[in-house]
Amino acid sequence: MATVRLQSDDVVLRTIEEADIEELYHLLYGEANPEWKKWDAPYYPLERESRESFRESVQKVSSKEVSSWIIIEVNGLIVGTVSYYIEDSLSMWIETGIVMYRSGNWNKGIGTKAMKLWIAYLFQALPIVRIGITTWSGNVRMMNVGTKLGMQIEGRMRKCRVVDGVYYDSIRMGMLREEWEQHEL
């Protein structure tokens, strides 16, 4: 396992350490209906894990050569996580995401900085030609992050997500390695 520490101004992305597990567990499961879950795929229920199962899950993702889930930290405080998963291993099609657990850190540019660091790292660390995000049309902040980073809408499945009785579109955004490199110049 490689230790990761990436930084842009006050935003740090870093590998999850043993000492972080309890705080991360509390951020995920400490509230019955956490505010962050209203934006992170609210059409899927939050699947609670036992502390031991959670610890095992963290250790599993952290043991990969390129960890698929790492912490976002601001001024020494865990504020969120970024992650990726492989949609198709043959083409190394990966999807990435971000969760900001503390609402006091929303709308401050932290998510954009974190995703920029994360995407740059993934393009450097993995043999990928494309990276994407999937969100829903009610999550305007996530779509704005994708746009700021140079992603384009590649797919819109209309009215296939239901949140609080309202239909929303599922949005797929992405970019190719060469688009990222050109965008970063």
Side-chain angles (χ1 to χ4, degrees), residues 35 77 102 110 140:
E35 184 70 19
L77 182 68
R102 301 177 192 269
I110 294 167
V140 174

Side-chain angles (χ1 to χ4, degrees), residues 118-133:
W118 187 230
I119 290 170
Y121 171 72
L122 292 174
F123 272 128
Q124 179 269 321
L126 295 171
I128 56 176
V129 297
R130 181 200 171 278
I131 196 165
I133 60 173

